[in-house]
Amino acid sequence: MKYTRIPHTDIRISKICLGTMTWGRQNDEDEAHEQMDYALDQGVNFFDTAEMYPVPPKKELYAVTEELIGNWFKKTGNRDKVVLATKIAGPGYAAKEIRDTGFSRDSIIGAVEGSLKRLQTDHIDLYQLHWPERNTNFFGQRGFNAHAIDGWEDNIHQVLETLRDLKAEGKIRHVGISNETPWGTMRYLEESKVHQSLPRMLTIQNPYSLLNRLFEVGLSEISMREQIGLLAYSPMAFGVLSGKYLGDVPPRKARVTLFPQYDRYSSPSAVEATKKYAELAKEHNLNMAQMALAFVNSRPFVTSNIIGATTMEQLKENIESIEVNLSDEVLKGIDEIHNSIPNPSP
């Protein structure tokens, strides 16, 4: 395994992060525990979850993923071997069964307390805001809608004050953002620069893959100049970049087959790009999934690459991608495809 550090800290984390959003829906507890056992044995010490998991969200399954992780900590005693990240859900349709009070002080405190209880731990190493409260472009929306009505009032100072107080109590160690834009990222960073008693956002968890490189526009420069590390999610584009959906018959029990609403990686242009990446991998005798992950692993602004798997075979393949080094010829081929079909799946 290769390791990096959460920026501005001495916390050493694996370059491969174990994602958990299928646990409790596509994977049962035994399978989740097997994945954690194996990942830890392979040197993966960074786990990412969220109160909204498993996904797609369902009222009766709220926060089940955190409970499964907490049960594993209790069973194995491995809490001190893991750097643990979780998230508070923002307002909106995806969290309508959780709460509708956004990032108010009471909401954040209640969410942290709930996660601590379910995870059976006394602290969270990295606590993240899952998506913005304000009306902006995330979750597949390419551009900002300047005409949309937005009742949000800037409360970023108050959010950071609440997170500061939770840090002081020892309940969270560090904080990060997710599904954020360049404006939101800089807004948080500037607030903590002006008011130095407030905690600094250290990471940003956004989508990044061969089919969605929009992080490179604006956010990658911020990431590198401000030292806010990308935790790349959906690096496999819901499994599309394994090539398994290119056949005439969709694979049974696969994510996009089970949940066709997750179709952002299935547009005609995305399928065309995926076919080209599959051809490139074949030409260079590479496993397509590992090529896709190795590309993300190689980016200088990526602090950790969040993988997710529903089978042990997938998990092993994904973790082994850390040993794959792409040649200049392969990287050139990737850029040629990207330039011909740029970001088909924002």
Side-chain angles (χ1 to χ4, degrees):
M1 184 48 59
K2 296 176 183 177
Y3 297 89
T4 58
R5 295 187 188 275
I6 295 178
H8 305 279
T9 79
D10 60 357
I11 300 177
R12 184 171 176 262
I13 58 171
S14 48
K15 189 74 181 247
I16 297 292
C17 174
L18 182 61
T20 64
M21 74 176 184
T22 63
W23 300 353
R25 190 149 187 175
Q26 287 177 264
N27 293 103
D28 62 24
E29 183 162 16
D30 288 341
E31 291 169 335
H33 288 193
E34 183 182 16
Q35 286 196 28
M36 286 184 277
D37 288 338
Y38 180 81
L40 190 63
D41 187 57
Q42 297 303 305
V44 175
N45 73 336
F46 188 27
F47 296 2
D48 177 74
T49 190
E51 66 167 349
M52 193 180 77
Y53 295 168
V55 172
K58 199 174 182 182
K59 184 176 182 179
E60 55 268 34
L61 295 178
Y62 165 63
V64 164
T65 305
E66 288 189 331
E67 292 176 358
L68 301 187
I69 296 170
N71 293 342
W72 183 78
F73 285 147
K74 182 178 180 180
K75 180 178 75 173
T76 64
N78 282 336
R79 174 64 185 93
D80 62 343
K81 298 178 182 178
V82 172
V83 179
L84 178 64
T86 192
K87 315 176 196 74
I88 176 176
Y93 76 94
K96 61 184 179 180
E97 306 293 353
I98 301 175
R99 72 181 69 81
D100 59 5
T101 49
F103 298 149
S104 68
R105 181 176 179 83
D106 288 346
S107 295
I108 295 173
I109 292 172
V112 168
E113 296 286 0
S115 288
L116 289 172
K117 182 177 181 180
R118 289 185 293 268
L119 291 163
Q120 301 190 50
T121 185
D122 62 357
H123 73 281
I124 295 160
D125 296 299
L126 179 66
Y127 196 66
Q128 304 156 97
L129 309 179
H130 207 155
W131 60 84
E133 289 180 280
R134 65 191 189 280
N135 180 12
T136 189
N137 50 311
F138 56 90
F139 286 154
Q141 182 180 332
R142 186 183 294 274
F144 175 68
N145 182 358
H147 302 287
I149 297 173
D150 189 358
W152 177 74
E153 294 183 5
D154 193 329
N155 63 342
I156 285 176
H157 186 94
Q158 290 74 28
V159 169
L160 290 173
E161 281 187 328
T162 303
L163 295 172
R164 175 199 63 196
D165 294 345
L166 287 163
K167 280 191 68 176
E169 293 176 27
K171 293 177 180 177
I172 59 176
R173 295 180 68 189
H174 299 289
V175 292
I177 46 181
S178 182
N179 296 296
E180 259 297 359
T181 66
W183 183 88
T185 303
M186 289 305 300
R187 179 72 185 82
Y188 275 107
L189 292 175
E190 289 303 310
E191 193 69 29
S192 60
K193 286 180 183 178
V194 173
H195 304 279
Q196 295 186 10
S197 66
L198 298 179
R200 188 188 198 282
M201 294 299 184
L202 303 183
T203 58
I204 175 170
Q205 185 174 149
N206 274 31
Y208 185 72
S209 71
L210 291 176
L211 297 180
N212 179 1
R213 292 171 59 176
L214 286 175
F215 190 87
E216 296 174 11
V217 183
L219 276 167
S220 62
E221 182 180 10
I222 292 172
S223 173
M224 296 183 71
R225 294 191 186 279
E226 298 290 334
Q227 292 295 291
I228 179 168
L230 173 62
L231 308 180
Y233 81 78
S234 288
M236 287 286 294
F238 295 160
V240 168
L241 286 168
S242 69
K244 65 186 178 183
Y245 295 104
L246 292 177
D248 294 331
V249 180
R252 292 179 63 249
K253 296 185 178 181
R255 185 163 191 77
V256 178
T257 306
L258 292 173
F259 310 113
Q261 67 267 38
Y262 290 106
D263 61 354
R264 72 183 75 158
Y265 298 105
S266 304
S267 67
S269 57
V271 172
E272 182 183 354
T274 301
K275 288 179 179 178
K276 289 181 179 294
Y277 287 123
E279 291 167 1
L280 180 67
K282 184 178 180 179
E283 179 185 345
H284 292 275
N285 296 313
L286 290 168
N287 174 292
M288 184 183 178
Q290 290 186 342
M291 183 186 81
L293 292 172
F295 174 78
V296 175
N297 295 340
S298 70
R299 301 301 88 186
F301 44 80
V302 172
T303 292
S304 195
N305 186 1
I306 305 174
I307 61 164
T310 53
T311 70
M312 288 301 298
E313 181 182 4
Q314 291 171 346
L315 182 64
K316 293 173 183 177
E317 180 179 82
N318 291 353
I319 291 175
E320 288 170 0
S321 73
I322 199 65
E323 304 299 334
V324 176
N325 296 308
L326 302 181
S327 68
D328 290 342
E329 188 177 1
V330 172
L331 292 172
K332 180 182 177 182
I334 286 173
D335 278 343
E336 288 175 351
I337 296 168
H338 174 67
N339 289 334
S340 66
I341 313 174
N343 301 310
S345 302

